[in-house]
Short mmCIF file of all heavy atoms in Angstrom, two decimals:
data_model
loop_
_atom_site.label_atom_id
_atom_site.label_comp_id
_atom_site.label_asym_id
_atom_site.label_seq_id
_atom_site.Cartn_x
_atom_site.Cartn_y
_atom_site.Cartn_z
N GLY A 220 -23.08 -11.54 -40.73
CA GLY A 220 -23.25 -12.95 -40.86
C GLY A 220 -21.93 -13.74 -40.73
O GLY A 220 -21.93 -14.97 -40.95
N CYS A 221 -20.96 -12.99 -40.19
CA CYS A 221 -19.67 -13.73 -40.11
C CYS A 221 -19.31 -14.34 -38.79
O CYS A 221 -18.33 -14.92 -38.65
CB CYS A 221 -18.52 -12.66 -40.51
SG CYS A 221 -18.33 -11.28 -39.30
N ILE A 222 -20.20 -14.06 -37.75
CA ILE A 222 -19.96 -14.59 -36.48
C ILE A 222 -21.28 -14.65 -35.83
O ILE A 222 -22.24 -13.84 -35.91
CB ILE A 222 -19.02 -13.69 -35.65
CG1 ILE A 222 -18.66 -14.32 -34.29
CG2 ILE A 222 -19.64 -12.30 -35.41
CD1 ILE A 222 -17.58 -13.58 -33.53
N PRO A 223 -21.60 -15.80 -35.06
CA PRO A 223 -22.90 -15.93 -34.35
C PRO A 223 -23.14 -14.73 -33.34
O PRO A 223 -22.27 -14.33 -32.54
CB PRO A 223 -22.76 -17.20 -33.62
CG PRO A 223 -21.68 -17.95 -34.28
CD PRO A 223 -20.73 -16.87 -34.85
N PHE A 224 -24.40 -14.28 -33.51
CA PHE A 224 -24.91 -13.15 -32.62
C PHE A 224 -23.92 -11.98 -32.47
O PHE A 224 -23.64 -11.55 -31.40
CB PHE A 224 -25.24 -13.76 -31.19
CG PHE A 224 -26.51 -13.12 -30.61
CD1 PHE A 224 -27.71 -13.64 -30.91
CD2 PHE A 224 -26.33 -11.96 -29.86
CE1 PHE A 224 -28.91 -13.05 -30.38
CE2 PHE A 224 -27.43 -11.43 -29.37
CZ PHE A 224 -28.66 -11.90 -29.59
N GLY A 225 -23.45 -11.51 -33.58
CA GLY A 225 -22.61 -10.33 -33.62
C GLY A 225 -22.38 -9.87 -35.03
O GLY A 225 -23.16 -10.25 -35.95
N TYR A 226 -21.32 -9.17 -35.16
CA TYR A 226 -21.01 -8.73 -36.59
C TYR A 226 -19.51 -8.44 -36.69
O TYR A 226 -18.76 -8.25 -35.74
CB TYR A 226 -21.79 -7.43 -36.88
CG TYR A 226 -21.38 -6.14 -36.15
CD1 TYR A 226 -20.58 -5.27 -36.65
CD2 TYR A 226 -21.98 -5.91 -34.90
CE1 TYR A 226 -20.29 -4.04 -35.99
CE2 TYR A 226 -21.61 -4.78 -34.16
CZ TYR A 226 -20.75 -3.91 -34.76
OH TYR A 226 -20.48 -2.70 -34.08
N GLY A 227 -19.08 -8.28 -37.92
CA GLY A 227 -17.72 -7.90 -38.27
C GLY A 227 -17.74 -6.46 -38.83
O GLY A 227 -18.71 -6.10 -39.36
N TRP A 228 -16.62 -5.79 -38.79
CA TRP A 228 -16.57 -4.44 -39.27
C TRP A 228 -15.33 -4.11 -39.86
O TRP A 228 -14.29 -4.78 -39.55
CB TRP A 228 -16.87 -3.51 -38.18
CG TRP A 228 -15.77 -3.40 -37.09
CD1 TRP A 228 -14.71 -2.63 -37.06
CD2 TRP A 228 -15.84 -4.09 -35.82
NE1 TRP A 228 -14.02 -2.86 -35.92
CE2 TRP A 228 -14.70 -3.80 -35.16
CE3 TRP A 228 -16.71 -5.03 -35.27
CZ2 TRP A 228 -14.32 -4.32 -33.93
CZ3 TRP A 228 -16.42 -5.63 -34.05
CH2 TRP A 228 -15.18 -5.19 -33.31
N ALA A 229 -15.20 -3.20 -40.86
CA ALA A 229 -14.10 -2.52 -41.34
C ALA A 229 -14.36 -1.06 -41.42
O ALA A 229 -15.28 -0.64 -42.21
CB ALA A 229 -13.70 -3.11 -42.73
N PHE A 230 -13.64 -0.34 -40.72
CA PHE A 230 -13.81 1.15 -40.61
C PHE A 230 -12.52 1.90 -40.93
O PHE A 230 -11.49 1.62 -40.44
CB PHE A 230 -14.25 1.61 -39.13
CG PHE A 230 -15.47 1.08 -38.60
CD1 PHE A 230 -15.73 1.02 -37.24
CD2 PHE A 230 -16.55 0.60 -39.55
CE1 PHE A 230 -16.96 0.55 -36.77
CE2 PHE A 230 -17.67 0.06 -38.94
CZ PHE A 230 -17.96 0.07 -37.62
N PRO A 231 -12.69 2.83 -41.85
CA PRO A 231 -11.52 3.55 -42.34
C PRO A 231 -11.10 4.74 -41.43
O PRO A 231 -12.02 5.45 -40.85
CB PRO A 231 -11.95 4.11 -43.68
CG PRO A 231 -13.39 4.41 -43.61
CD PRO A 231 -13.86 3.26 -42.56
N LYS A 232 -9.78 4.96 -41.25
CA LYS A 232 -9.26 6.09 -40.49
C LYS A 232 -8.08 6.72 -41.29
O LYS A 232 -6.91 6.48 -40.89
CB LYS A 232 -8.81 5.62 -39.04
CG LYS A 232 -9.79 4.88 -38.29
CD LYS A 232 -9.22 4.50 -36.93
CE LYS A 232 -10.15 3.70 -36.12
NZ LYS A 232 -9.47 3.19 -34.84
N GLY A 233 -8.42 7.42 -42.32
CA GLY A 233 -7.27 7.97 -43.06
C GLY A 233 -6.53 6.94 -43.79
O GLY A 233 -7.03 6.12 -44.60
N ASP A 234 -5.19 6.80 -43.41
CA ASP A 234 -4.37 5.74 -44.14
C ASP A 234 -4.48 4.37 -43.44
O ASP A 234 -3.70 3.49 -43.77
CB ASP A 234 -2.97 6.22 -44.25
CG ASP A 234 -2.26 6.47 -42.81
OD1 ASP A 234 -3.08 6.40 -41.87
OD2 ASP A 234 -1.13 6.66 -42.76
N ARG A 235 -5.29 4.25 -42.41
CA ARG A 235 -5.41 3.01 -41.68
C ARG A 235 -6.92 2.46 -41.78
O ARG A 235 -7.91 3.18 -42.14
CB ARG A 235 -5.08 3.22 -40.15
CG ARG A 235 -3.76 3.88 -39.91
CD ARG A 235 -2.56 2.91 -40.32
NE ARG A 235 -2.46 1.73 -39.49
CZ ARG A 235 -1.60 0.71 -39.64
NH1 ARG A 235 -0.88 0.71 -40.72
NH2 ARG A 235 -1.56 -0.25 -38.82
N LEU A 236 -7.04 1.16 -41.44
CA LEU A 236 -8.35 0.57 -41.48
C LEU A 236 -8.35 -0.34 -40.15
O LEU A 236 -7.47 -1.08 -39.82
CB LEU A 236 -8.42 -0.36 -42.73
CG LEU A 236 -9.80 -0.95 -43.04
CD1 LEU A 236 -10.59 0.23 -43.55
CD2 LEU A 236 -9.66 -1.97 -44.16
N THR A 237 -9.49 -0.15 -39.45
CA THR A 237 -9.70 -1.02 -38.23
C THR A 237 -10.68 -2.26 -38.69
O THR A 237 -11.77 -1.92 -39.27
CB THR A 237 -10.34 -0.27 -37.10
OG1 THR A 237 -9.51 0.71 -36.70
CG2 THR A 237 -10.74 -1.11 -35.96
N VAL A 238 -10.28 -3.37 -38.47
CA VAL A 238 -11.05 -4.63 -38.91
C VAL A 238 -11.22 -5.38 -37.56
O VAL A 238 -10.31 -5.65 -36.75
CB VAL A 238 -10.26 -5.39 -39.93
CG1 VAL A 238 -10.96 -6.66 -40.34
CG2 VAL A 238 -9.92 -4.56 -41.15
N GLY A 239 -12.49 -5.88 -37.46
CA GLY A 239 -12.69 -6.69 -36.12
C GLY A 239 -14.01 -7.39 -36.28
O GLY A 239 -14.72 -7.33 -37.20
N VAL A 240 -14.19 -8.38 -35.29
CA VAL A 240 -15.46 -8.99 -35.11
C VAL A 240 -15.69 -9.05 -33.58
O VAL A 240 -14.89 -8.98 -32.78
CB VAL A 240 -15.36 -10.59 -35.64
CG1 VAL A 240 -15.07 -10.65 -37.09
CG2 VAL A 240 -14.25 -11.31 -34.78
N GLY A 241 -17.06 -9.01 -33.34
CA GLY A 241 -17.50 -9.05 -31.95
C GLY A 241 -18.79 -9.81 -31.90
O GLY A 241 -19.66 -9.93 -32.77
N THR A 242 -18.96 -10.52 -30.75
CA THR A 242 -20.10 -11.26 -30.47
C THR A 242 -20.80 -10.77 -29.13
O THR A 242 -20.06 -10.46 -28.22
CB THR A 242 -19.96 -12.80 -30.37
OG1 THR A 242 -21.20 -13.47 -30.12
CG2 THR A 242 -18.88 -13.18 -29.32
N PHE A 243 -22.08 -10.71 -29.15
CA PHE A 243 -22.83 -10.10 -28.07
C PHE A 243 -23.54 -11.24 -27.15
O PHE A 243 -24.48 -10.93 -26.50
CB PHE A 243 -23.76 -9.10 -28.43
CG PHE A 243 -23.04 -7.96 -29.23
CD1 PHE A 243 -23.66 -7.60 -30.39
CD2 PHE A 243 -21.85 -7.52 -28.85
CE1 PHE A 243 -22.98 -6.51 -31.17
CE2 PHE A 243 -21.20 -6.44 -29.49
CZ PHE A 243 -21.82 -6.02 -30.75
N GLN A 244 -23.03 -12.47 -27.29
CA GLN A 244 -23.63 -13.53 -26.44
C GLN A 244 -22.56 -14.07 -25.65
O GLN A 244 -21.36 -14.10 -25.88
CB GLN A 244 -24.20 -14.61 -27.38
CG GLN A 244 -23.26 -15.41 -28.18
CD GLN A 244 -23.92 -16.50 -28.95
OE1 GLN A 244 -25.14 -16.60 -28.96
NE2 GLN A 244 -23.09 -17.38 -29.56
N SER A 245 -22.96 -14.54 -24.41
CA SER A 245 -22.09 -15.22 -23.55
C SER A 245 -21.76 -16.64 -24.07
O SER A 245 -22.35 -17.18 -24.90
CB SER A 245 -22.72 -15.40 -22.10
OG SER A 245 -23.95 -16.10 -22.22
N GLY A 246 -20.65 -17.19 -23.51
CA GLY A 246 -20.13 -18.51 -23.89
C GLY A 246 -18.97 -18.27 -24.83
O GLY A 246 -18.64 -17.19 -25.34
N LYS A 247 -18.18 -19.38 -25.01
CA LYS A 247 -17.01 -19.40 -25.75
C LYS A 247 -17.23 -19.52 -27.26
O LYS A 247 -17.94 -20.53 -27.57
CB LYS A 247 -15.97 -20.37 -25.19
CG LYS A 247 -15.48 -19.99 -23.72
CD LYS A 247 -14.49 -21.07 -23.29
CE LYS A 247 -13.98 -20.71 -21.94
NZ LYS A 247 -12.95 -21.55 -21.42
N LEU A 248 -16.63 -18.83 -28.01
CA LEU A 248 -16.55 -18.97 -29.54
C LEU A 248 -15.20 -18.84 -30.01
O LEU A 248 -14.24 -18.10 -29.28
CB LEU A 248 -17.41 -17.75 -30.20
CG LEU A 248 -18.88 -17.96 -30.20
CD1 LEU A 248 -19.53 -16.68 -30.76
CD2 LEU A 248 -19.33 -19.16 -30.89
N PRO A 249 -14.76 -19.55 -31.11
CA PRO A 249 -13.44 -19.33 -31.56
C PRO A 249 -13.32 -17.99 -32.31
O PRO A 249 -13.22 -17.93 -33.53
CB PRO A 249 -13.35 -20.50 -32.61
CG PRO A 249 -14.80 -20.75 -33.04
CD PRO A 249 -15.63 -20.43 -31.91
N LEU A 250 -13.06 -17.02 -31.52
CA LEU A 250 -13.19 -15.63 -32.08
C LEU A 250 -12.08 -15.41 -33.04
O LEU A 250 -12.24 -14.59 -34.09
CB LEU A 250 -12.92 -14.61 -30.88
CG LEU A 250 -14.23 -14.19 -30.15
CD1 LEU A 250 -13.95 -13.32 -28.98
CD2 LEU A 250 -15.24 -13.51 -31.06
N ARG A 251 -10.74 -15.83 -32.78
CA ARG A 251 -9.77 -15.61 -33.77
C ARG A 251 -9.98 -16.30 -35.05
O ARG A 251 -9.54 -15.78 -36.11
CB ARG A 251 -8.41 -16.05 -33.03
CG ARG A 251 -8.03 -15.17 -31.91
CD ARG A 251 -6.67 -15.45 -31.34
NE ARG A 251 -6.31 -14.65 -30.24
CZ ARG A 251 -5.73 -13.46 -30.42
NH1 ARG A 251 -5.33 -13.11 -31.57
NH2 ARG A 251 -5.49 -12.72 -29.35
N ARG A 252 -10.58 -17.44 -35.04
CA ARG A 252 -10.87 -18.11 -36.34
C ARG A 252 -11.92 -17.32 -37.04
O ARG A 252 -11.83 -17.08 -38.28
CB ARG A 252 -11.43 -19.54 -36.10
CG ARG A 252 -11.75 -20.21 -37.33
CD ARG A 252 -12.15 -21.75 -37.11
NE ARG A 252 -13.31 -21.87 -36.27
CZ ARG A 252 -14.54 -21.82 -36.76
NH1 ARG A 252 -14.85 -21.35 -38.02
NH2 ARG A 252 -15.57 -21.93 -35.87
N HIS A 253 -13.00 -16.81 -36.35
CA HIS A 253 -14.03 -16.07 -37.08
C HIS A 253 -13.33 -14.73 -37.59
O HIS A 253 -13.70 -14.24 -38.64
CB HIS A 253 -15.12 -15.70 -36.07
CG HIS A 253 -16.07 -16.75 -35.82
ND1 HIS A 253 -16.82 -17.31 -36.78
CD2 HIS A 253 -16.26 -17.44 -34.67
CE1 HIS A 253 -17.62 -18.27 -36.30
NE2 HIS A 253 -17.29 -18.44 -34.97
N PHE A 254 -12.43 -14.14 -36.72
CA PHE A 254 -11.80 -12.91 -37.18
C PHE A 254 -10.96 -13.20 -38.44
O PHE A 254 -11.02 -12.41 -39.41
CB PHE A 254 -10.82 -12.37 -36.11
CG PHE A 254 -10.00 -11.26 -36.51
CD1 PHE A 254 -10.49 -9.92 -36.50
CD2 PHE A 254 -8.67 -11.40 -37.10
CE1 PHE A 254 -9.74 -8.92 -36.94
CE2 PHE A 254 -7.94 -10.40 -37.48
CZ PHE A 254 -8.39 -9.10 -37.44
N GLY A 255 -10.18 -14.33 -38.46
CA GLY A 255 -9.40 -14.61 -39.64
C GLY A 255 -10.21 -14.87 -40.84
O GLY A 255 -9.84 -14.34 -41.90
N ASP A 256 -11.34 -15.59 -40.74
CA ASP A 256 -12.13 -15.83 -41.91
C ASP A 256 -12.74 -14.48 -42.44
O ASP A 256 -12.79 -14.30 -43.68
CB ASP A 256 -13.30 -16.74 -41.56
CG ASP A 256 -12.82 -18.14 -41.19
OD1 ASP A 256 -11.67 -18.50 -41.52
OD2 ASP A 256 -13.60 -18.88 -40.57
N PHE A 257 -13.12 -13.68 -41.60
CA PHE A 257 -13.76 -12.38 -42.01
C PHE A 257 -12.70 -11.52 -42.62
O PHE A 257 -12.82 -10.90 -43.77
CB PHE A 257 -14.40 -11.67 -40.89
CG PHE A 257 -14.83 -10.24 -41.17
CD1 PHE A 257 -15.86 -9.98 -41.99
CD2 PHE A 257 -14.20 -9.17 -40.42
CE1 PHE A 257 -16.20 -8.67 -42.22
CE2 PHE A 257 -14.55 -7.93 -40.73
CZ PHE A 257 -15.65 -7.63 -41.58
N ALA A 258 -11.50 -11.36 -41.95
CA ALA A 258 -10.47 -10.42 -42.38
C ALA A 258 -9.92 -10.90 -43.77
O ALA A 258 -9.65 -10.01 -44.61
CB ALA A 258 -9.38 -10.36 -41.32
N ARG A 259 -9.72 -12.16 -43.95
CA ARG A 259 -9.25 -12.63 -45.28
C ARG A 259 -10.19 -12.35 -46.41
O ARG A 259 -9.81 -12.05 -47.59
CB ARG A 259 -8.92 -14.12 -45.19
CG ARG A 259 -7.56 -14.41 -44.46
CD ARG A 259 -7.19 -15.82 -44.60
NE ARG A 259 -8.10 -16.74 -43.81
CZ ARG A 259 -7.80 -16.99 -42.58
NH1 ARG A 259 -6.77 -16.53 -41.91
NH2 ARG A 259 -8.60 -17.86 -41.92
N ARG A 260 -11.47 -12.33 -46.12
CA ARG A 260 -12.41 -12.10 -47.15
C ARG A 260 -12.43 -10.43 -47.45
O ARG A 260 -12.62 -10.08 -48.65
CB ARG A 260 -13.92 -12.36 -46.73
CG ARG A 260 -14.21 -13.81 -46.73
CD ARG A 260 -15.65 -14.11 -46.67
NE ARG A 260 -16.33 -13.55 -45.52
CZ ARG A 260 -16.51 -14.13 -44.44
NH1 ARG A 260 -15.94 -15.34 -44.19
NH2 ARG A 260 -17.07 -13.57 -43.46
N VAL A 261 -12.30 -9.68 -46.47
CA VAL A 261 -12.24 -8.21 -46.57
C VAL A 261 -11.07 -7.74 -47.25
O VAL A 261 -11.00 -6.91 -48.14
CB VAL A 261 -12.49 -7.50 -45.27
CG1 VAL A 261 -12.37 -5.94 -45.41
CG2 VAL A 261 -13.88 -7.84 -44.59
N LEU A 262 -9.88 -8.29 -46.73
CA LEU A 262 -8.53 -7.84 -47.24
C LEU A 262 -7.71 -9.08 -47.64
O LEU A 262 -6.90 -9.53 -46.94
CB LEU A 262 -7.80 -7.09 -46.24
CG LEU A 262 -8.53 -5.80 -45.67
CD1 LEU A 262 -7.80 -5.27 -44.50
CD2 LEU A 262 -8.58 -4.70 -46.84
N PRO A 263 -8.12 -9.60 -48.84
CA PRO A 263 -7.39 -10.96 -49.14
C PRO A 263 -5.91 -10.85 -49.46
O PRO A 263 -5.27 -11.79 -49.38
CB PRO A 263 -8.16 -11.31 -50.49
CG PRO A 263 -8.72 -10.00 -51.07
CD PRO A 263 -9.03 -9.14 -49.83
N GLY A 264 -5.36 -9.62 -49.68
CA GLY A 264 -3.93 -9.51 -49.85
C GLY A 264 -3.14 -9.24 -48.72
O GLY A 264 -1.79 -9.16 -48.80
N THR A 265 -3.69 -9.17 -47.52
CA THR A 265 -2.98 -8.93 -46.30
C THR A 265 -2.40 -10.16 -45.65
O THR A 265 -3.13 -11.19 -45.62
CB THR A 265 -3.87 -8.18 -45.30
OG1 THR A 265 -4.37 -6.94 -45.90
CG2 THR A 265 -3.11 -7.85 -43.95
N ASP A 266 -1.15 -10.15 -45.13
CA ASP A 266 -0.56 -11.30 -44.50
C ASP A 266 -0.95 -11.17 -43.03
O ASP A 266 -0.27 -10.38 -42.29
CB ASP A 266 0.98 -11.22 -44.56
CG ASP A 266 1.56 -12.47 -43.96
OD1 ASP A 266 0.88 -13.32 -43.47
OD2 ASP A 266 2.82 -12.58 -44.04
N TRP A 267 -2.02 -11.73 -42.60
CA TRP A 267 -2.57 -11.63 -41.30
C TRP A 267 -1.69 -12.27 -40.21
O TRP A 267 -1.85 -12.03 -39.03
CB TRP A 267 -4.04 -12.17 -41.25
CG TRP A 267 -4.91 -11.29 -41.98
CD1 TRP A 267 -5.38 -11.51 -43.29
CD2 TRP A 267 -5.54 -10.10 -41.57
NE1 TRP A 267 -6.19 -10.47 -43.63
CE2 TRP A 267 -6.29 -9.60 -42.51
CE3 TRP A 267 -5.42 -9.39 -40.47
CZ2 TRP A 267 -7.00 -8.42 -42.55
CZ3 TRP A 267 -6.13 -8.14 -40.32
CH2 TRP A 267 -6.94 -7.63 -41.42
N ARG A 268 -0.72 -13.09 -40.60
CA ARG A 268 0.19 -13.61 -39.64
C ARG A 268 1.14 -12.61 -38.98
O ARG A 268 1.61 -12.85 -37.96
CB ARG A 268 1.08 -14.72 -40.29
CG ARG A 268 0.20 -15.97 -40.82
CD ARG A 268 1.12 -16.82 -41.67
NE ARG A 268 1.67 -16.17 -42.76
CZ ARG A 268 2.39 -16.68 -43.79
NH1 ARG A 268 2.86 -17.86 -43.62
NH2 ARG A 268 2.85 -15.99 -44.80
N THR A 269 1.27 -11.55 -39.67
CA THR A 269 2.14 -10.45 -39.20
C THR A 269 1.43 -9.36 -38.51
O THR A 269 1.91 -8.37 -37.97
CB THR A 269 2.97 -9.89 -40.35
OG1 THR A 269 2.00 -9.17 -41.21
CG2 THR A 269 3.73 -10.85 -41.12
N VAL A 270 0.08 -9.50 -38.39
CA VAL A 270 -0.82 -8.44 -37.79
C VAL A 270 -1.06 -8.70 -36.40
O VAL A 270 -1.44 -9.88 -35.96
CB VAL A 270 -2.09 -8.26 -38.57
CG1 VAL A 270 -3.00 -7.22 -37.93
CG2 VAL A 270 -1.72 -7.74 -40.10
N GLN A 271 -0.92 -7.68 -35.57
CA GLN A 271 -1.19 -7.85 -34.13
C GLN A 271 -2.73 -7.74 -33.91
O GLN A 271 -3.21 -6.61 -34.03
CB GLN A 271 -0.39 -6.90 -33.22
CG GLN A 271 -0.66 -6.99 -31.76
CD GLN A 271 0.15 -6.02 -30.82
OE1 GLN A 271 0.79 -5.17 -31.45
NE2 GLN A 271 0.07 -6.28 -29.62
N MET A 272 -3.36 -8.78 -33.31
CA MET A 272 -4.71 -8.68 -33.00
C MET A 272 -4.81 -8.43 -31.49
O MET A 272 -4.07 -8.90 -30.66
CB MET A 272 -5.43 -9.95 -33.33
CG MET A 272 -5.60 -10.30 -34.77
SD MET A 272 -6.24 -11.87 -35.22
CE MET A 272 -4.88 -13.05 -34.79
N ARG A 273 -5.95 -7.68 -31.11
CA ARG A 273 -6.20 -7.39 -29.70
C ARG A 273 -7.70 -7.72 -29.34
O ARG A 273 -8.56 -7.38 -30.16
CB ARG A 273 -5.92 -5.87 -29.39
CG ARG A 273 -4.45 -5.49 -29.59
CD ARG A 273 -4.29 -4.04 -29.19
NE ARG A 273 -2.89 -3.59 -29.30
CZ ARG A 273 -2.45 -3.01 -30.36
NH1 ARG A 273 -3.16 -2.85 -31.47
NH2 ARG A 273 -1.13 -2.67 -30.46
N ALA A 274 -7.83 -8.22 -28.21
CA ALA A 274 -9.23 -8.63 -27.76
C ALA A 274 -9.43 -7.65 -26.59
O ALA A 274 -8.71 -7.12 -25.91
CB ALA A 274 -9.28 -9.98 -27.25
N HIS A 275 -10.91 -7.33 -26.55
CA HIS A 275 -11.34 -6.48 -25.42
C HIS A 275 -12.77 -6.84 -25.08
O HIS A 275 -13.56 -7.25 -25.90
CB HIS A 275 -11.22 -5.01 -25.80
CG HIS A 275 -11.96 -4.66 -27.02
ND1 HIS A 275 -13.27 -3.99 -26.94
CD2 HIS A 275 -11.72 -4.63 -28.32
CE1 HIS A 275 -13.70 -3.78 -28.19
NE2 HIS A 275 -12.76 -4.10 -29.06
N PRO A 276 -13.04 -6.64 -23.84
CA PRO A 276 -14.43 -7.06 -23.41
C PRO A 276 -15.49 -5.90 -23.73
O PRO A 276 -15.07 -4.73 -23.90
CB PRO A 276 -14.27 -7.03 -21.83
CG PRO A 276 -13.25 -6.11 -21.50
CD PRO A 276 -12.29 -6.25 -22.75
N ILE A 277 -16.58 -6.31 -23.98
CA ILE A 277 -17.81 -5.34 -24.22
C ILE A 277 -18.86 -5.54 -23.10
O ILE A 277 -19.49 -6.64 -23.17
CB ILE A 277 -18.40 -5.55 -25.60
CG1 ILE A 277 -17.27 -5.53 -26.68
CG2 ILE A 277 -19.44 -4.55 -25.94
CD1 ILE A 277 -17.84 -5.99 -28.03
N PRO A 278 -18.97 -4.69 -22.15
CA PRO A 278 -20.04 -4.83 -21.18
C PRO A 278 -21.34 -4.44 -21.69
O PRO A 278 -21.57 -3.37 -22.23
CB PRO A 278 -19.54 -3.90 -20.08
CG PRO A 278 -18.78 -2.79 -20.86
CD PRO A 278 -18.24 -3.40 -22.02
N LEU A 279 -22.36 -5.34 -21.63
CA LEU A 279 -23.65 -5.16 -22.14
C LEU A 279 -24.72 -5.31 -21.15
O LEU A 279 -24.59 -6.06 -20.21
CB LEU A 279 -23.92 -6.11 -23.29
CG LEU A 279 -23.00 -6.17 -24.44
CD1 LEU A 279 -23.34 -7.35 -25.38
CD2 LEU A 279 -22.93 -4.94 -25.23
N SER A 280 -25.83 -4.46 -21.32
CA SER A 280 -26.90 -4.57 -20.31
C SER A 280 -28.17 -4.25 -21.05
O SER A 280 -28.21 -3.39 -21.88
CB SER A 280 -26.65 -3.63 -19.04
OG SER A 280 -27.75 -3.69 -18.18
N SER A 281 -29.28 -4.93 -20.77
CA SER A 281 -30.61 -4.62 -21.26
C SER A 281 -31.39 -3.64 -20.42
O SER A 281 -32.38 -3.26 -20.86
CB SER A 281 -31.31 -5.97 -21.52
OG SER A 281 -31.57 -6.61 -20.18
N ALA A 282 -30.77 -3.21 -19.33
CA ALA A 282 -31.38 -2.30 -18.46
C ALA A 282 -30.32 -1.61 -17.62
O ALA A 282 -29.21 -2.12 -17.54
CB ALA A 282 -32.42 -3.01 -17.52
N VAL A 283 -30.66 -0.50 -17.05
CA VAL A 283 -29.62 0.27 -16.26
C VAL A 283 -29.58 -0.46 -14.94
O VAL A 283 -30.55 -0.56 -14.18
CB VAL A 283 -30.07 1.69 -16.15
CG1 VAL A 283 -28.93 2.36 -15.18
CG2 VAL A 283 -29.98 2.34 -17.46
#
Side-chain angles (χ1 to χ4, degrees):
C221 67
I222 187 169
F224 216 87
Y226 69 97
W228 67 85
F230 295 162
K232 303 178 184 179
D234 62 349
R235 307 292 291 173
L236 193 71
T237 294
V238 181
V240 297
T242 180
F243 304 136
Q244 68 178 4
S245 57
K247 293 185 177 181
L248 283 174
L250 276 175
R251 291 184 179 271
R252 178 173 65 78
H253 285 294
F254 173 86
D256 292 344
F257 171 67
R259 283 189 289 272
R260 288 198 303 272
V261 175
L262 301 172
T265 301
D266 183 359
W267 290 99
R268 295 171 299 177
T269 65
V270 174
Q271 182 178 6
M272 292 177 284
R273 296 185 177 91
H275 60 95
I277 306 173
L279 303 174
S280 179
S281 60
V283 176

